[in-house]
Amino acid sequence: MGLKLIWAQTPDGVIGLDNDLPWRIPEDLARFRRLTSGHPVVMGRRTWESLPEIYRPLPGRDNVVLTHDRGYDAPGAVVATSLDDALAVVGDRDAWVIGGGTLYADALTHADTVEVTIVDRATVGDTFAPVLDERRWVQTAHEPAEGWYSSVTEGTRYRFITYGHRPQSQPAVDPRLQAPHAVRCDWGRAGARAVAAGSDRIAVVVDVLTFTTTVAAACAAGIEVAPFRWHDPRAAGYAERESAVLAGSRSTGGPSLSPGSVRASGLSRLVLPSPNGATTALTIAATGAEVVAGSIRNADAVARWCAARLATDPHLVVGVVPAGEGWPDGAFRPSVEDLWGAGAVIEALRRHGVTDRSVEAEAARQAWLAVADDPVGALRESASGRELSERGWADDVVAAADLDADGVAPVLVDGWFRGRTPEAAGAAGPGGGTVA
Ligand code: VY7
């Protein structure tokens, strides 16, 4: 038998929000129906419940629903209580795993094919596609040959990618992963998925103006910070349940993305939404990577923490990710201050003996060295620095350029950035190190 997985995701890996698809693409549904028709479909309980009632069970297919609940009733479907159970039900037939996030992650090791629809949208999500290990999976087909299709609904762009097992004879690794180097560097959420996703990675996310700089200052002051996606309506409720304060906009006073406002706040727990840095951190944390908030302010502490982790676990890789910005139309905008911040961390890694870096990481380091004798001046001149200064936040620009002012590494554990001192980071394992 052959087990096949099929899903639709954004370039960031979002596959769902609130038990629903965050888009409607009829062309994707048509292809989904064409590929799965006549074959058993295996789905998790939540995916079953998310199907529009008129499509439950999916017609023309044996429906298998997975749940731990032995008493669960799914009219028209077979209920299985373990993946092995479900695989026994489908027997030697070709079967499709159709969702959701939990089942994809579990079923991936049994699969021979993965059909992915990439939906070109930036969407908040709470469920993610598993990251395909490039050592095992290789792209075998894609459609269209170049560029994108455009959907009849709102012109949303989408494309189809088929993955199969990489043949033994072709052990190549995608060059975009910057393997085999211990220190790698690429931009934004897409770059983070390439160089920093997965449980064998430390992802140092760098958003100098100002998310990770604010996290650095907060953690150095003993404040715990929970990153949230921008405009995520759940942030306020989460803050309340967690006895934390929700950061507001810069102009209203109180704690905000402005580092000074957080340091002065005297609070102990902060929920901090941000458009780029927080979203990148959360997206990458969902892949199992250890996420650290890097900035010019904490470059040395972050590098020392990473070096200590690498000393105990030589298989770990450090992916340094300048987060970048978005243009108003949503297009990605690399921002030079994040390149400098990434370079400051990479240079500090070099000082602490972690020298095996890709040329991309070296380019970031050189960019930093070019401004290292006057980071304040450089940051003031940068587009983002001028934008912030013109809005009246020139102090934040100066604070962001204060090299190694903060002596702890903010490490994301269970949804919160907490300051870690580098000593004992290795001994303590992931998320380890002494609390500052
Ligand atoms: C979503 C629907 C959502 C809303 C209305 C109708 C890829 C998808 C899935 C799973 C889409 C959904 C539908 C109409 C056609 C029906 C199925 C339900 C049919 C996946 N690429 N896209 N999915 N559908 N695993 N992978 O659940 O569906 O097939 O007969």
Side-chain angles (χ1 to χ4, degrees):
M1 77 144 223
L3 194 64
K4 300 170 195 320
L5 273 49
I6 183 167
W7 70 69
Q9 66 164 76
T10 68
D12 294 345
V14 169
I15 61 169
L17 175 68
D18 294 335
N19 216 26
D20 197 3
L21 304 186
W23 51 75
R24 286 283 175 266
I25 302 195
E27 298 92 333
D28 172 63
L29 296 181
R31 185 169 187 268
F32 169 80
R33 176 183 286 230
R34 177 167 61 75
L35 289 175
T36 58
S37 280
H39 303 284
V41 287
V42 182
M43 70 198 92
R45 191 259 309 164
R46 287 165 57 85
T47 297
W48 168 260
E49 289 174 359
S50 80
L51 287 174
E53 208 141 344
I54 50 163
Y55 295 107
R56 224 161 62 191
L58 292 176
R61 288 149 282 187
D62 284 352
N63 286 225
V64 182
V65 177
L66 257 169
T67 171
H68 294 295
D69 177 359
R70 294 181 173 278
Y72 191 75
D73 188 29
V78 175
V79 173
T81 52
S82 72
L83 185 54
D84 284 343
D85 259 17
L87 295 179
V89 170
V90 304
D92 58 5
R93 296 177 287 176
D94 277 339
W96 287 92
V97 171
I98 64 164
T102 311
L103 184 53
Y104 290 136
D106 292 343
L108 192 59
T109 53
H110 302 273
D112 58 40
T113 307
V114 180
E115 291 285 351
V116 181
T117 305
I118 306 288
V119 178
D120 188 29
R121 290 249 301 245
T123 325
V124 171
D126 57 17
T127 313
F128 294 85
V131 174
L132 297 181
D133 183 341
E134 307 270 347
R135 285 165 297 192
R136 178 165 153 86
W137 295 100
V138 64
Q139 202 171 306
T140 56
H142 57 99
E143 241 190 281
E146 268 187 40
W148 300 83
Y149 291 125
S150 188
S151 176
V152 292
T153 51
E154 297 167 16
T156 302
R157 302 194 306 168
Y158 65 95
R159 57 203 313 266
F160 302 118
I161 303 177
T162 306
Y163 292 91
H165 284 175
R166 179 181 294 283
Q168 292 288 334
S169 57
Q170 190 194 338
V173 172
D174 185 334
R176 289 168 294 192
L177 301 188
Q178 302 172 26
H181 300 290
V183 181
R184 311 172 187 188
C185 181
D186 202 349
W187 286 95
R189 254 109 75 196
R193 280 179 78 79
V195 303
S199 55
D200 55 350
R201 307 289 161 87
I202 299 171
V204 179
V205 176
V206 181
D207 182 1
V208 167
L209 296 174
T210 51
F211 174 73
T212 59
T213 293
T214 304
V215 174
C219 288
I223 301 166
E224 301 178 345
V225 182
F228 256 75
R229 292 177 172 79
W230 202 235
H231 299 312
D232 187 329
R234 290 166 296 191
Y238 184 78
E240 190 166 343
R241 284 194 303 283
E242 296 284 331
S243 315
V245 171
L246 175 63
S249 91
R250 285 171 178 274
S251 47
T252 51
S256 71
L257 265 177
S258 169
S261 73
V262 169
R263 251 197 319 261
S265 66
L267 50 85
S268 63
R269 309 189 95 196
L270 178 69
V271 171
L272 185 61
S274 99
N276 296 298
T279 308
T280 305
L282 290 166
T283 304
I284 284 314
T287 71
E290 296 174 36
V291 174
V292 186
S295 71
I296 294 170
R297 290 185 63 93
N298 67 8
D300 193 72
V302 165
R304 280 165 62 209
W305 187 89
C306 292
R309 290 284 299 121
L310 274 132
T312 53
D313 189 348
H315 297 296
L316 277 174
V317 162
V318 183
V320 184
V321 180
E325 306 277 327
W327 288 101
D329 70 354
F332 181 72
R333 178 169 78 84
S335 43
V336 71
E337 73 278 7
D338 292 346
L339 188 65
W340 292 329
V345 172
I346 292 161
E347 164 63 3
L349 280 164
R350 183 198 62 77
R351 285 199 310 273
H352 294 291
V354 185
T355 55
D356 173 26
R357 57 186 172 269
S358 65
V359 290
E360 289 80 3
E362 174 65 3
R365 192 179 76 91
Q366 293 290 344
W368 163 250
L369 293 177
V371 299
D373 60 354
D374 183 20
V376 175
L379 219 56
R380 274 201 183 115
E381 286 288 315
S382 72
S384 307
R386 286 165 55 188
E387 189 194 356
L388 212 52
S389 297
E390 279 166 22
R391 285 165 49 205
W393 301 99
D395 289 355
D396 286 355
V397 179
V398 175
D402 199 352
L403 180 65
D404 295 331
D406 298 323
V408 300
V411 181
L412 187 61
V413 180
D414 297 332
W416 293 85
F417 281 109
R418 296 192 173 95
R420 302 288 175 201
T421 54
E423 293 73 34
T434 324
V435 179

